[in-house]
Amino acid sequence: MKYLTEYRDATIARPLIERIKRTATRPWTLMEVCGGQTHTIVRQGLDELLEGAIEMIHGPGCPVCVTPLEQIDKALMLAARPDVIFTSFGDMLRVPGSDCDLQQVRARGGNVRIVYSPLDALEIARRNPDREVVFFAVGFETTAPANAMAVWRARELGVPNFSVLVSHVTVPPAISAIMQSPDNRVQGFLAAGHVCAVMGWTEYEPLAMRYGVPIVVTGFEPLDILEGMLMAVQQLEAGRHIVENQYVRSVRREGTPAARMRVQEVFELADRKWRGIGEIPMSGLRLRPEFAAFDAELKFGLGDVHVNESSECHAGEVLTGKLKPPRCPAFGTRCTPERPLGALMVSTEGACAAYYHLAKYRESGDPAAAGAVS
């Protein structure tokens, strides 16, 4: 497989691991921000191979996991309406709300459809002018451009029965919140390459300077992550704290200007709750007033909702690196992929899901047990 197996080559990985160990004169604590990176680290056992040199803390980089319970419950309310076709990416369907999930609403007769693009949802709206079509717009800076484009196209085409339930969050305020936490242990970050492919990394530069932490823009394959770790450790050992780019094959300093422009045209910054963490000021996106006609919360009069979060779910502690999933009292017993207490156990980027599935792989030695690719 060209341009993929090259980044999973064990003959290159082993010297990199030894180089990281030789470079680290003391144990360093790094946080990977993206759930995709978390799965690679756990699947390949990089955390175990580097034990004693680097401790990896898994950050709040799973878009499904950080979608607040209030938004999940609003999605459930909309999906249950007989006049609504509710559309979403598939990974949101099993995320538990206060009482049920979207899959259960669909089983009860709700018109819930999985789409692969918000533009698919817009097309459903065009073909069903007698129904309201809502798209669940979640995620980080990575998904915001496509969602912004869908809203922009809906206005351009004049599709009044299309709207979006917005739950976008942005990464830099989350890094700031983690660093300001009194019990923070993070000494360096591996920033998500796909976020920076859109937004660039200029927003990270003042964070690196303010908090004295190296931030390395990193890809998602094993060699990407090992190289990102090495670059971060080299900075820490040298007492430096700047932003560096490991993911040079995909990321430019300015990101993708056209995508940024569309996002800024349709969305504006707003305070936003993160599931398990709470509200982080100016950490989210909401539709600008000129696009209010496509805001599902306004169109359907959704106000504040009372939520019922499981007291057994420790998602917030996991998302901020204070608790490793296997140390959660409910992990693998009262919280499993079949009966999850929180999103981290069912999301494809969730840290709990990574440990649950990939620990089985490690125990069995069968890559198929975890869907491992190498």
Side-chain angles (χ1 to χ4, degrees):
M1 187 180 294
K2 190 67 176 171
Y3 302 130
L4 190 55
T5 51
E6 290 88 341
Y7 295 99
R8 301 176 181 178
D9 189 336
T11 62
I12 303 175
R14 291 191 191 99
L16 259 178
I17 290 169
E18 292 306 314
R19 192 174 170 193
I20 292 170
K21 288 180 175 178
R22 287 197 306 271
T23 303
T25 60
R26 48 161 289 190
W28 295 103
T29 304
L30 306 179
M31 173 178 277
E32 85 278 3
V33 177
C34 174
Q37 294 171 335
T38 302
H39 277 249
T40 298
I41 289 168
V42 178
R43 177 186 296 121
Q44 304 296 339
L46 302 183
D47 51 341
E48 293 181 339
L49 291 169
L50 288 166
E51 191 170 357
I54 294 176
E55 179 189 358
M56 293 306 301
I57 292 179
H58 315 307
C62 165
V64 174
C65 303
V66 299
T67 300
L69 188 55
E70 286 83 353
Q71 295 303 97
I72 301 291
D73 283 356
K74 289 176 182 177
L76 296 171
M77 292 166 60
L78 291 172
R81 289 177 61 113
D83 59 337
V84 166
I85 299 173
F86 193 85
T87 59
S88 170
F89 295 137
D91 51 5
M92 293 301 298
L93 263 64
R94 295 233 30 241
V95 178
S98 291
D99 300 312
C100 63
D101 57 39
L102 285 168
Q103 189 163 277
Q104 290 171 308
V105 171
R106 182 163 68 173
R108 296 169 189 163
N111 197 336
V112 179
R113 302 186 190 182
I114 295 173
V115 294
Y116 296 97
S117 162
L119 293 172
D120 293 341
L122 177 59
E123 183 59 26
I124 292 173
R126 294 184 65 188
R127 294 180 179 179
N128 295 272
D130 58 331
R131 305 288 294 275
E132 289 289 339
V133 176
V134 181
F135 177 71
F136 202 177
V138 306
F140 292 91
E141 293 92 332
T142 330
T143 54
N147 294 337
M149 175 58 79
V151 173
W152 187 86
R153 282 287 288 169
R155 187 179 69 167
E156 183 183 55
L157 296 172
V159 185
N161 61 321
F162 176 77
S163 59
V164 291
L165 178 62
V166 179
S167 190
H168 276 301
V169 289
T170 58
V171 173
I175 289 179
S176 213
I178 289 167
M179 293 307 299
Q180 290 176 20
S181 172
D183 49 3
N184 168 61
R185 296 192 299 119
V186 178
Q187 296 167 301
F189 289 92
L190 303 185
H194 49 13
V195 168
C196 296
V198 175
M199 302 303 292
W201 67 78
T202 56
E203 292 183 57
Y204 294 95
E205 290 173 326
L207 295 175
M209 181 177 296
R210 183 184 312 152
Y211 298 112
V213 289
I215 301 176
V216 180
V217 180
T218 308
F220 305 92
E221 295 299 329
L223 295 186
D224 289 324
I225 292 172
L226 287 171
E227 191 173 20
M229 289 174 174
L230 177 61
M231 293 166 74
V233 169
Q234 286 174 329
Q235 282 201 50
L236 288 165
E237 291 287 341
R240 294 187 297 123
H241 42 80
I242 61 174
V243 181
E244 290 184 295
N245 181 24
Q246 179 278 329
Y247 205 31
V248 292
R249 65 184 184 276
S250 299
V251 176
R252 295 175 297 178
R253 186 172 188 273
E254 70 275 15
T256 306
R260 296 177 62 177
M261 183 189 69
R262 186 65 73 213
V263 170
Q264 291 166 5
E265 183 179 24
V266 174
F267 292 114
E268 62 183 7
L269 289 173
D271 298 342
R272 180 67 70 184
K273 277 188 178 179
W274 296 53
R275 189 168 191 175
I277 299 176
E279 185 168 291
I280 301 177
M282 304 304 280
S283 66
L285 299 174
R286 66 184 176 197
L287 290 171
R288 290 186 178 278
E290 51 267 41
F291 292 95
F294 302 98
D295 188 332
E297 292 198 56
L298 296 176
K299 176 179 281 190
F300 295 96
L302 302 177
D304 294 333
V305 296
H306 175 72
V307 298
N308 182 27
E309 185 74 87
S310 168
S311 59
E312 282 195 291
C313 182
H314 294 271
E317 295 167 69
V318 174
L319 288 169
T320 52
K322 298 171 185 171
L323 180 70
K324 290 287 177 67
R327 295 185 178 177
C328 174
F331 179 82
T333 55
R334 295 181 301 283
C335 183
T336 66
E338 292 74 28
R339 299 179 64 85
L341 294 175
L344 277 69
M345 185 55 88
V346 290
S347 169
T348 54
E349 295 188 27
C352 296
Y355 277 85
Y356 186 88
H357 292 295
L358 300 173
K360 286 187 174 180
Y361 157 52
R362 288 180 182 178
E363 291 169 2
S364 69
D366 177 12
V373 292
S374 60

